[in-house]
Amino acid sequence: MTAAVSARRSQTRQRLLDAAMEAFAEEGFGRTTVERLCERAGFTRGAFYSNFTSLDEVFLAMWEDRSTRMLADVRAALAEVSAEDPGQALRAALAAIPVDDAWYRVTAEFTAHALRNPALRRVMAAREQAIQDTVLPVLVAALARTGRQVRDEAALGRALVAVHDGTAVQVLLEPDDPGAWARREELFMSVLAAYSTPGGDTRDLDAAPGPDAATDLLEEPR
Amino acid sequence: MTAAVSARRSQTRQRLLDAAMEAFAEEGFGRTTVERLCERAGFTRGAFYSNFTSLDEVFLAMWEDRSTRMLADVRAALAEVSAEDPGQALRAALAAIPVDDAWYRVTAEFTAHALRNPALRRVMAAREQAIQDTVLPVLVAALARTGRQVRDEAALGRALVAVHDGTAVQVLLEPDDPGAWARREELFMSVLAAYSTPGGDTRDLDAAPGPDAATDLLEEPR
DNA sequence: TGCATCGGATACGTTTTTGTATCCGACGGG
DNA sequence: CCCGTCGGATACAAAAACGTATCCGATGCA
């Protein structure tokens, strides 16, 4: 009964979600119409309204679907290389979080959308937290293996996400610039270095080098 | 003749552009209709089609208008504090480039749009370059005054822009988190420190500390 | 084999949005 | 003071998008 029939249902639902991803990426969320979305999926509007109630709903469902899948990929990729050095661990994480044209377009619009909707804001914040929770432990462990200690994991996590987002646009906006990728990695490494200290042991925190030290240095020219 | 009459014209044009900014920010570019845009501006569609040919055109014109204005603000703000230390110079620049909710929404969508349109991509790239050209000299000078030298200005410029973009979202997405702003500044300072070396003189570049050093350090655990 | 259910298609009327073609009033020149 | 031009409003027709109400076929169960 519900076994095969519901399988069919979730199949069409998925096809609709996939079509949504395509459509939103190519035409933009706002300019996408229910009709054209259904054309892509090979269904009629009837199917759509049977599975969803609005484009907004699909947007959210699709974004969650995709980013959940992506997070799983990252987890899987990191599980394998977790025993290497920080540079390699970071590169593995970067490789697993693809800098994808289409996905970036969609996420950019979703972000804009989320900035207008508190509920969506929370969804995005939670997702970012999940990404940090996945990536940080591996990175911290790899750093520790080289005798480096992270002082403020939360700050490092946020910094890495910010750098990822910021550099991803640059890379995508200038696909011809070959140096873009190198600069991106360079920045990542710098941040990793700046937010960790060489000491395996916890020395006096206030005196330790790191971001705070940099701030102090720059604040008071001497 | 054309003096007062064209003044009137450019006035309404500007009011339309301002209304576009509002509308795109609140409703999103895609969901904005010519009609509603005109309502905000207090005109009819007639006025719109007399000044523009499509929403896309307005989008571009409006974005260029706003970002040009913003760049002028930055220039003005930096002209005043250029004699201070790097920290203050950076903060001045950050203050002049406002992290504005509405503007961010619009820019996010514009970016997504630009990723689909080569011409717009070039517009955005040029704008980023202009921002870097405005901010970097001041920053480099301020750093030099404290005896610090920037090794790769282009790389630093890109890094700063990336960090700005990346942290701006975070700050906006979590307006309640008081630590967000502090973390943002911390990251900026770290980058500034990582991309400059303490030597006022140019030593052997390959041996100097900095991003490359960090990369090397992390790549080969020892 | 017949029946009930469920997923999706079809068909329909309605509302929005669009773009243009035409009109009106104001302002500048003679 | 009258005329021409220009900016914007009005009016109109066409098209697009919507959401629902209804129908049809397939699948699962008795």
Side-chain angles (χ1 to χ4, degrees):
Chain A
M1 53 169 276
T2 327
V5 73
S6 274
R8 201 170 204 73
R9 185 169 181 79
S10 69
Q11 248 185 31
T12 58
R13 186 189 153 90
Q14 189 59 48
R15 275 175 62 190
L16 283 170
L17 287 178
D18 291 348
M21 168 72 192
E22 277 181 43
F24 294 162
E26 285 185 27
E27 312 173 23
F29 167 62
R31 289 277 179 254
T32 296
T33 178
V34 175
E35 178 90 34
R36 266 204 287 277
L37 193 159
C38 293
E39 271 175 34
R40 285 176 188 275
F43 291 108
T44 62
R45 291 208 314 284
F48 178 92
Y49 285 108
S50 164
N51 280 278
F52 304 96
T53 68
S54 69
L55 268 184
D56 270 73
E57 190 186 316
V58 188
F59 200 16
L60 172 57
M62 180 272 268
W63 192 83
E64 287 198 305
D65 176 52
R66 298 303 257 229
S67 58
T68 298
R69 247 189 275 174
M70 199 194 65
L71 192 57
D73 289 350
V74 174
R75 234 186 283 273
L78 286 184
E80 298 188 357
V81 290
S82 63
E84 307 299 331
D85 67 297
Q88 194 163 336
L90 180 61
R91 262 185 287 276
L94 291 185
I97 302 181
V99 177
D100 179 48
D101 207 42
W103 175 245
Y104 187 87
R105 286 193 280 250
V106 169
T107 298
E109 288 197 70
F110 192 75
T111 305
H113 208 53
L115 283 173
R116 300 182 199 104
N117 183 325
L120 290 189
R121 269 212 312 251
R122 264 173 255 124
V123 169
M124 285 206 77
R127 193 65 55 166
E128 178 175 328
Q129 192 58 51
I131 291 177
Q132 289 184 34
D133 292 346
T134 303
V135 174
L136 270 179
V138 179
L139 237 40
V140 169
L143 280 166
R145 216 162 289 119
T146 67
R148 292 197 143 252
Q149 195 174 18
V150 174
R151 114 172 3 199
D152 183 345
E153 295 199 13
L156 173 59
R158 307 271 292 205
L160 289 176
V161 170
V163 168
H164 171 267
D165 290 350
T167 54
V169 211
Q170 292 178 334
V171 165
L172 291 173
L173 277 177
E174 286 170 282
D176 311 318
D177 186 348
W181 290 96
R183 270 194 296 268
R184 173 175 151 92
E185 207 177 291
E186 184 189 1
L187 179 54
F188 266 117
M189 291 304 176
S190 294
V191 169
L192 222 47
Y195 281 75
S196 64
T197 63
D201 53 311
T202 304
R203 298 183 269 176
D204 183 18
L205 282 179
D206 292 328
D212 294 333
T215 303
D216 294 345
L217 175 68
L218 293 170
E219 261 172 7
E220 305 207 295
R222 122 181 336 259
Chain B
M1 55 172 278
T2 327
V5 71
S6 273
R8 202 170 203 74
R9 186 171 179 78
S10 70
Q11 248 184 32
T12 59
R13 187 189 153 90
Q14 189 58 47
R15 276 174 63 189
L16 283 169
L17 288 178
D18 291 347
M21 169 71 192
E22 277 181 42
F24 295 162
E26 285 184 27
E27 312 171 22
F29 167 63
R31 289 278 177 252
T32 295
T33 179
V34 176
E35 177 89 32
R36 266 203 287 277
L37 193 160
C38 293
E39 272 175 34
R40 284 177 188 274
F43 290 107
T44 62
R45 291 208 318 285
F48 179 92
Y49 285 109
S50 164
N51 281 278
F52 304 96
T53 69
S54 69
L55 268 184
D56 271 71
E57 192 185 314
V58 187
F59 200 16
L60 172 57
M62 180 273 265
W63 191 83
E64 288 199 303
D65 176 51
R66 298 304 258 226
S67 59
T68 298
R69 246 189 277 175
M70 198 195 66
L71 191 58
D73 289 350
V74 174
R75 234 185 282 274
L78 285 184
E80 299 190 355
V81 290
S82 62
E84 308 298 331
D85 66 298
Q88 195 165 335
L90 179 63
R91 261 185 287 278
L94 291 184
I97 303 181
V99 177
D100 179 49
D101 206 42
W103 176 245
Y104 186 87
R105 288 193 280 249
V106 169
T107 297
E109 287 196 72
F110 191 76
T111 305
H113 208 53
L115 283 173
R116 298 181 199 106
N117 184 328
L120 290 189
R121 268 212 312 251
R122 265 173 256 124
V123 169
M124 286 205 77
R127 193 65 54 167
E128 178 175 330
Q129 192 58 51
I131 291 178
Q132 289 183 34
D133 292 346
T134 301
V135 174
L136 271 180
V138 178
L139 237 40
V140 170
L143 281 167
R145 217 161 286 121
T146 68
R148 291 198 143 250
Q149 194 174 21
V150 175
R151 118 178 354 210
D152 182 346
E153 295 198 13
L156 173 59
R158 309 270 293 206
L160 290 177
V161 170
V163 167
H164 171 268
D165 290 351
T167 55
V169 211
Q170 292 177 334
V171 165
L172 291 173
L173 276 176
E174 287 171 281
D176 310 318
D177 187 348
W181 289 96
R183 270 194 299 268
R184 172 175 152 91
E185 207 177 292
E186 184 188 2
L187 179 54
F188 267 114
M189 291 303 176
S190 296
V191 169
L192 222 47
Y195 280 75
S196 64
T197 63
D201 53 314
T202 305
R203 297 179 272 178
D204 182 17
L205 283 179
D206 293 329
D212 294 333
T215 305
D216 294 344
L217 175 68
L218 292 171
E219 258 171 11
E220 304 206 298
R222 120 182 336 259

